[in-house]
């Protein structure tokens, strides 16, 4: 049984992991253990009952029972625990003290949906769920803690729900989706931080006393911090040691924090950011928090990532592309920006088709009077000056070339210079009487207002249903300011941010229901809303507006900590690169972009014939190997140490692998560099492209694989005379791709 209940104690387990909590003497829930699978007889050893001077005790004559000292499952405010609580409620008299006591529980196969919110899903054989019901009699309110443990990944998913059974309003001031108390603080916290064009860089810090946190209060999950963090032991590496990963299935404001207390306990929690959040639960209403996915691995960071990847590919993404390799696309943004017409688009598309591309995506600038970023957002009807045959005509011409057609939208936005704004200025988020701040010359529409969402749906519906559109890029290019709802009463104003993102989810759901075969790619100025919430609706996301191959090494490495390669939009763009002006070879750019959905973002017509031929070969290569890349097990072998990156994907049956090795800056005459491959079958004999002979898996994993990309000066004289040999050890920004295949001999 994956979930058992014995001696007042719940034990969630699969082959690898145990998560244990108990009903305490005060009938609240105490946390006992989370980690490697264990067997338990009794829980005395796990429960830390002890009296500490000054620690408040719940009972007279039982100093050992103190909430300040005990580890808890969903800690409350104000009754002896001075750490941050998982939740805080306020009743209509202003009182904030609660007492939710255990009432009952139920265990069932599978997993229930959370209406209106993105969530993981599972069949009855994939997961088992537990719901623990607690009740506060004074508040006349119920709290349900919901857990699901997955059979084949070490993932436990948590959420919580409050129900107001009383006859008066109750205000939720704070509601985390999960809280876990760890015994000690000998951990490092890994987080993914950045800004526009440099999203999800990996940072690691040793836990310290006090609070360390990551957060967003911008209305999106943000480029500043991804809603993910991990706790790893200091000796944990990519491939060994313990790590716990926490990822929020949500795209709005969030808080992820670790609080190390006065007894060295690390309390982690993750949920909607309590800043600017409050929810008024009217009599009879309930509120369900978004989910947090918790993974445990004793196989290092790669183990953690693979669990996230498998879970998200199998139990989060939906739609016809869930298990399908993704079409190779060409996007016109960096090729034309706003300056295009039907002819120039068709020129790019037909050339691209000839080289093997499968999908053409028309980016920003096709609608209203949009010739730059100052106007027309909200006016989702085609610009007939640029596209005399409309979207319908263009799509059918693109289809006639043998390509699918995709279109860019930015549904949540409006420009002041637009018909939509002229007609409905009050739909742009603003606080009456106050200045409206601009971001990229635009305002955010009030998606907390169902009328606005419905209007945008109708407008998009018309365009989408008028043409054969098979892909949509949904962009979101500014954060929210002057948050305010003109509809909500004063007591509900702080519901705004959550209601906004519920509106976004609602529009997504309506569109994917109306157009079930469209492939959606989410985007927010690149990767500012790359999160698990979005992946529920759009199974791929534009990873970053930075398309430079070298910058992408950092960005895609960080993104891969949590999100699978099949979700990562990655394109080859032109040089000098538009974000950093760097020049890298076409080979290097493709070798990086292969580890994702793969596509192009340049004008192929402007490439010399030899480069076009190279593009043709790249596309053939990717078509041959994309199944492996997008659905295999991913390993980060090098993460920038000594200016080297290497990535590897191994097929589930271990018969095939692909290895990408990348050098950033050349070092003269370096030490011999080898990299230990991962995930191969130790006994299989592998052939390797660009290498003679065969190698056993164990040799490649333990003795290592020697890098080609190192300059030793052996051809210094040739180089000096300007006779550089392309390929081996030539300069900065060099890369190699190897394909390994097991030679399975007949028995
Ligand atoms: C954002 C996106 C880009 C492009 C532009 C268009 O920056 O991230 O890929 O679509 O908007 O305005």
């Amino acid at each position: 049984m994956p979930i058992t209940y014995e001696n007042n104690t719940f034990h969630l387990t699969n082959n690898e992991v145990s998560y244990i909590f108990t009903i305490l003497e005060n009938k609240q829930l105490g946390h006992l253990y989370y980690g490697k699978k264990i067997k338990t007889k009794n829980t005395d050893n796990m429960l830390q009952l002890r009296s500490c001077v000054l620690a408040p005790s719940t009972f007279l004559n039982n100093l050992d029972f103190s909430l300040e000292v005990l580890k808890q499952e969903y800690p409350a405010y104000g009754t002896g625990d001075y750490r941050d609580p998982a939740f805080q409620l306020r009743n209509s008299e202003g009182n904030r003290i609660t007492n939710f006591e255990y009432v009952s529980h139920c265990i069932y196969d599978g997993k229930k949906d959370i209406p209106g919110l993105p969530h993981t899903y599972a069949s009855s054989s994939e997961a088992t769920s537990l719901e623990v019901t607690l009740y506060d009699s004074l508040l006349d309110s119920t709290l349900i803690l919901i857990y699901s443990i997955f059979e084949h990944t070490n993932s436990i998913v948590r959420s919580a729900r409050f129900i107001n059974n009383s006859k008066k309003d109750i205000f939720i001031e704070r509601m985390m989706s999960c809280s876990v108390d760890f015994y000690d603080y000998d951990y490092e916290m890994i987080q993914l931080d950045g800004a526009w064009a440099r999203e999800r860089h990996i940072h690691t810090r040793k836990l310290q006393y006090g609070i360390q946190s990551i957060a967003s209060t911008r209305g999106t999950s943000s480029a500043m911090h991804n809603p993910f963090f991990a706790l790893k032991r200091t000796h944990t590496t990519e491939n060994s040691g313990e790590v716990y990963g926490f990822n929020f299935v949500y795209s709005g404001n969030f808080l992820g924090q670790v609080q190390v207390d006065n007894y060295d306990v690390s309390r982690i929690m993750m949920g909607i950011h309590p800043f600017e959040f409050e929810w008024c639960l009217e009599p009879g209403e309930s509120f369900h928090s978004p989910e947090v996915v918790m993974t445990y691995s004793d196989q290092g960071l790669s183990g953690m990532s693979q669990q996230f990847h498998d879970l998200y590919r199998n139990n989060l993404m939906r739609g016809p592309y869930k298990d399908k390799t993704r079409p190779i696309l060409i996007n016109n943004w960096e090729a034309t920006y706003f300056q295009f017409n039907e002819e120039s688009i068709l020129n790019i598309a037909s050339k691209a088709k000839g080289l093997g591309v499968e999908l053409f995506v028309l980016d920003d600038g096709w609608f209203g009077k949009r010739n730059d970023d100052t106007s027309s957002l909200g006016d989702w009807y085609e610009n007939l000056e640029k596209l005399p045959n409309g979207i319908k005509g263009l799509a059918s011409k693109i289809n006639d070339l043998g390509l699918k057609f995709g279109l860019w939208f930015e549904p949540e936005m409006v420009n002041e210079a637009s018909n939509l704004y002229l007609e409905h200025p009050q739909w742009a988020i603003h606080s009456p009487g106050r200045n409206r701040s601009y971001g990229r010359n635009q305002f955010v529409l009030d998606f907390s207002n169902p009328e606005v969402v419905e209007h945008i749906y109708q407008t998009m519906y018309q365009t989408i249903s008028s043409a054969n559109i098979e892909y949509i890029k949904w962009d979101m290019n500014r954060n929210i300011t002057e948050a305010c709802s003109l509809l909500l009463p004063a007591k509900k104003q702080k519901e705004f941010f959550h209601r906004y993102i519920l509106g976004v989810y609602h529009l997504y759901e309506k569109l994917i229901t109306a157009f079930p075969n469209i492939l959606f790619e989410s985007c927010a100025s690149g990767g500012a809303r790359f999160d698990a919430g979005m992946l529920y609706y759009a199974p791929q996301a534009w990873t970053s507006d930075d398309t430079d191959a070298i910058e992408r090494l950092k960005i895609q490495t960080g993104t891969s900590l949590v999100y699978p390669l099949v979700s990562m939009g990655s394109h080859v763009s032109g040089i000098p690169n538009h974000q950093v002006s760097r020049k890298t070879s076409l080979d290097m750019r493709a070798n990086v972009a292969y580890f994702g959905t793969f596509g192009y973002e340049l004008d192929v017509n402007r490439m010399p014939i030899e480069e076009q031929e190279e593009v043709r070969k790249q596309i053939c290569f990717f078509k041959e190997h994309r199944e492996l890349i997008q659905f295999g097990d991913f390993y980060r072998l090098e993460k920038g140490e000594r200016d080297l990156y290497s990535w590897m994907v191994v097929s589930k049956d271990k018969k095939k692998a692909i290895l990408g090795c990348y050098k950033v800056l050349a070092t003269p005459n370096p030490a011999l560099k080898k990299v230990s491959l991962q995930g191969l079958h130790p006994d299989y004999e592998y052939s390797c492209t660009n290498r003679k002979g065969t190698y056993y898996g164990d040799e490649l994993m333990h003795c290592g694989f020697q890098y080609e990309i190192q300059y030793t000066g052996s051809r210094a004289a040739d180089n000096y005379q300007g006779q550089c040999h392309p390929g081996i050890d030539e300069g900065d920004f060099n890369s190699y791709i190897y394909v390994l295949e097991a030679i399975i001999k007949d028995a």
Side-chain angles (χ1 to χ4, degrees):
M1 269 296 276
I3 301 181
T4 55
Y5 176 67
E6 256 174 63
N7 302 327
N8 289 336
T9 297
F10 298 94
H11 188 159
L12 287 69
T13 189
N14 57 23
N15 282 335
E16 306 283 343
V17 68
S18 282
Y19 186 95
I20 307 174
F21 62 96
T22 194
I23 302 167
L24 298 169
E25 210 177 322
N26 66 353
K27 299 202 184 136
Q28 293 180 10
L29 300 179
H31 181 75
L32 296 181
Y33 173 79
Y34 178 29
K36 181 94 186 146
K37 179 180 179 145
I38 54 171
K39 297 182 281 300
T40 50
K41 265 276 177 227
N42 70 65
T43 52
D44 297 351
N45 178 44
M46 298 178 179
L47 197 61
Q48 284 179 320
L49 286 175
R50 66 200 169 105
S51 69
C52 294
V53 177
L54 288 183
S57 63
T58 304
F59 307 109
L60 186 64
N61 301 329
N62 181 359
L63 295 182
D64 281 355
F65 194 95
S66 170
L67 296 177
E68 179 173 350
V69 182
L70 275 164
K71 290 194 296 304
Q72 288 164 76
E73 192 54 25
Y74 199 67
Y77 161 74
T79 52
D81 186 340
Y82 295 104
R83 297 163 288 189
D84 276 8
F87 70 97
Q88 202 172 4
L89 303 183
R90 191 179 75 244
N91 70 9
S92 47
E93 282 81 49
N95 200 306
R96 279 106 49 228
I97 303 305
T98 58
N99 180 29
F100 282 93
E101 297 182 343
Y102 170 82
V103 177
S104 63
H105 70 270
C106 64
I107 297 169
Y108 50 87
D109 291 340
K111 189 172 179 298
K112 288 184 193 161
D113 291 348
I114 310 179
L117 280 172
H119 55 269
T120 55
Y121 55 87
S123 68
S124 54
S125 62
E126 285 176 310
T128 309
S129 299
L130 163 70
E131 293 190 11
V132 184
T133 301
L134 304 112
Y135 181 67
D136 184 319
S137 54
L138 206 62
L139 269 179
D140 193 10
S141 293
T142 305
L143 164 63
I144 304 175
L145 298 182
I146 303 148
Y147 303 78
S148 298
I149 180 161
F150 283 78
E151 187 64 25
H152 299 298
T153 73
N154 292 348
S155 308
I156 295 174
V157 177
R158 282 183 66 174
S159 62
R161 191 169 156 227
F162 279 112
I163 305 164
N164 181 0
N165 316 97
S166 79
K167 303 225 158 7
K168 290 181 178 169
D169 290 348
I170 292 172
F171 296 87
I172 304 173
E173 293 185 344
R174 175 187 182 92
M175 186 176 184
M176 293 291 111
S177 296
C178 80
S179 175
V180 184
D181 287 350
F182 286 87
Y183 279 79
D184 65 295
Y185 78 112
D186 187 18
Y187 290 101
E188 287 172 346
M189 180 175 178
I190 304 178
Q191 56 194 67
L192 299 173
D193 317 303
W196 174 76
R198 50 179 174 82
E199 300 91 339
R200 289 173 300 286
H201 286 201
I202 300 175
H203 295 118
T204 304
R205 51 175 153 166
K206 173 92 188 73
L207 288 189
Q208 303 289 352
Y209 289 109
I211 291 176
Q212 32 256 289
S213 68
I214 49 158
S216 170
T217 55
R218 295 160 182 261
T220 61
S221 50
S222 93
M224 190 170 165
H225 300 296
N226 194 259
F228 156 84
F229 69 86
L231 290 190
K232 75 170 191 67
R233 292 295 184 185
T234 43
H235 57 263
T236 295
T237 66
E238 272 294 327
N239 299 299
S240 69
E242 288 193 304
V243 55
Y244 300 83
F246 302 89
N247 190 213
F248 203 18
V249 188
Y250 190 63
S251 315
N253 292 348
F254 76 92
L255 173 69
Q257 78 172 38
V258 186
Q259 181 174 24
V260 181
D261 75 7
N262 43 343
Y263 297 108
D264 292 0
V265 167
S266 303
R267 168 169 293 174
I268 73 92
M269 46 182 65
M270 191 173 255
I272 294 177
H273 204 306
F275 175 74
E276 274 298 303
F277 169 80
E278 185 169 275
W279 198 270
C280 173
L281 266 190
E282 292 181 6
E285 285 185 348
S286 71
F287 183 88
H288 204 133
S289 80
E291 283 185 350
V292 166
V293 174
M294 315 192 301
T295 62
Y296 165 79
S297 164
D298 60 356
Q299 311 284 311
L301 299 180
S302 286
M304 173 193 74
S305 301
Q306 284 163 14
Q307 285 165 29
F308 277 125
H309 296 182
D310 282 346
L311 185 75
Y312 290 171
R313 280 186 304 219
N314 298 324
N315 301 93
L316 178 69
M317 292 178 178
R318 301 178 294 167
Y321 281 94
K322 169 175 146 51
D323 301 315
K324 265 203 222 155
T325 56
R326 305 296 162 77
I328 298 171
L329 67 80
I330 187 154
N331 175 306
N332 72 307
W333 178 240
E334 288 199 12
T336 66
Y337 294 102
F338 297 101
Q339 274 63 58
F340 58 82
N341 56 30
E342 190 185 90
E343 193 189 346
S344 60
I345 290 301
L346 289 172
N347 280 343
I348 298 175
S350 67
K351 175 64 77 179
K353 167 64 191 170
L355 301 178
V357 165
E358 298 160 322
L359 160 69
F360 178 85
V361 179
L362 181 61
D363 210 279
D364 195 353
W366 58 267
F367 50 91
K369 299 189 179 115
R370 191 149 167 105
N371 293 315
D372 56 33
D373 65 10
T374 59
S375 86
S376 303
L377 291 171
D379 295 347
W380 300 113
Y381 44 82
E382 59 265 67
N383 177 333
L384 292 174
E385 276 170 36
K386 284 184 184 176
L387 305 174
N389 299 299
I391 289 296
K392 184 176 172 16
L394 178 64
S396 93
K397 288 182 185 184
I398 297 269
N399 289 163
D400 289 346
L401 292 172
L403 288 168
K404 293 178 194 295
F405 178 72
L407 196 57
W408 181 97
F409 283 94
E410 197 177 353
E412 298 153 73
M413 298 294 155
V414 65
N415 280 116
E416 209 167 5
S418 69
N419 292 336
L420 182 66
Y421 190 79
L422 268 182
E423 282 160 31
H424 299 286
Q426 74 283 12
W427 281 0
I429 296 170
H430 68 283
S431 182
R434 302 286 176 197
N435 181 50
R436 300 180 182 199
S437 300
Y438 296 86
R440 207 193 190 204
N441 308 305
Q442 65 200 51
F443 299 132
V444 187
L445 288 169
D446 180 2
F447 264 44
S448 74
N449 178 351
E451 195 190 348
V452 177
V453 174
E454 184 57 28
H455 175 89
I456 297 297
Y457 171 71
Q458 291 300 342
T459 324
M460 289 178 75
Y461 184 92
Q462 272 182 17
T463 303
I464 301 169
S465 56
S466 75
N468 187 22
I469 296 172
E470 296 182 75
Y471 162 106
I472 285 176
K473 177 175 172 188
W474 176 321
D475 210 339
M476 199 283 183
N477 282 318
R478 65 156 290 185
N479 295 313
I480 293 173
T481 53
E482 290 89 32
C484 177
S485 161
L486 303 188
L487 291 187
L488 295 170
K491 67 177 182 180
K492 290 181 176 240
Q493 277 297 321
K494 283 190 166 187
E495 297 180 6
F496 176 79
F497 276 106
H498 185 58
R499 285 185 184 272
Y500 176 87
I501 206 71
L502 290 181
V504 173
Y505 291 150
H506 184 62
L507 181 57
Y508 255 119
E509 194 65 47
K510 278 185 80 122
L511 287 170
I512 60 176
T513 307
F515 304 102
N517 294 320
I518 290 183
L519 170 62
F520 280 82
E521 176 154 348
S522 78
C523 174
S525 304
R529 202 163 61 181
F530 199 132
D531 57 58
M534 281 292 134
L535 291 184
Y536 182 67
Y537 304 95
Q540 59 191 58
W542 182 225
T543 311
S544 175
D545 271 353
D546 199 332
T547 53
D548 172 63
I550 301 303
E551 290 303 306
R552 278 300 186 111
L553 288 171
K554 279 179 265 179
I555 294 168
Q556 291 177 210
T557 294
T559 307
S560 77
L561 273 195
V562 193
Y563 307 103
L565 299 191
V566 71
S567 69
M568 272 189 236
S570 52
H571 303 167
V572 173
S573 62
I575 52 165
N577 172 265
H578 294 201
Q579 293 75 42
V580 294
S581 297
R582 189 178 278 126
K583 290 184 185 168
T584 53
S585 69
L586 183 55
D587 190 45
M588 176 77 183
R589 282 173 274 154
N591 287 350
V592 174
Y594 287 148
F595 286 77
T597 57
F598 196 62
Y600 291 83
E601 183 136 352
L602 40 70
D603 186 348
V604 265
N605 293 301
R606 287 195 220 138
M607 299 175 101
I609 297 291
E610 317 81 71
E611 289 206 349
Q612 292 180 12
E613 270 317 301
E614 209 178 324
V615 167
R616 188 195 307 281
K617 285 188 194 137
Q618 290 171 347
I619 290 174
C620 281
F621 176 86
F622 189 71
K623 283 180 180 166
E624 191 183 341
H625 300 294
R626 66 180 153 186
E627 178 89 36
L628 162 66
I629 292 173
Q630 297 182 342
F631 297 102
D633 288 334
F634 179 68
Y635 295 87
R636 291 167 297 270
L637 307 180
E638 303 270 0
K639 299 202 295 276
E641 300 86 356
R642 291 196 264 178
D643 259 3
L644 294 169
Y645 287 81
S646 12
W647 297 330
M648 184 175 180
V649 187
V650 184
S651 64
K652 295 277 178 196
D653 64 8
K654 298 185 182 296
K655 288 186 183 156
K656 202 170 156 190
I658 190 153
L659 170 67
C661 299
Y662 311 89
K663 180 179 64 178
V664 180
L665 294 183
T667 311
N669 202 14
L672 194 64
K673 186 74 183 105
K674 285 196 296 188
V675 61
S676 295
L677 305 193
Q678 297 291 331
L680 299 174
H681 193 296
D683 301 328
Y684 285 179
E685 213 177 314
Y686 293 91
S687 64
C688 176
T689 49
N690 296 332
R691 295 283 167 108
K692 293 199 184 98
T694 57
Y695 308 82
Y696 280 110
D698 56 1
E699 180 197 329
L700 294 170
M701 293 193 290
H702 303 300
C703 179
F705 180 88
Q706 197 181 314
Y707 268 110
E708 223 126 16
I709 41 184
Q710 31 203 355
Y711 175 71
T712 60
S714 60
R715 291 199 307 280
D718 289 358
N719 289 352
Y720 183 72
Q721 288 159 22
Q723 296 167 357
C724 291
H725 302 277
I728 240 161
D729 67 26
E730 301 303 343
D732 299 337
F733 319 136
N734 222 329
S735 63
Y736 284 87
I737 293 282
Y738 304 92
V739 179
L740 293 108
E741 259 169 297
I743 300 161
I744 307 289
K745 296 185 180 126
D746 293 337

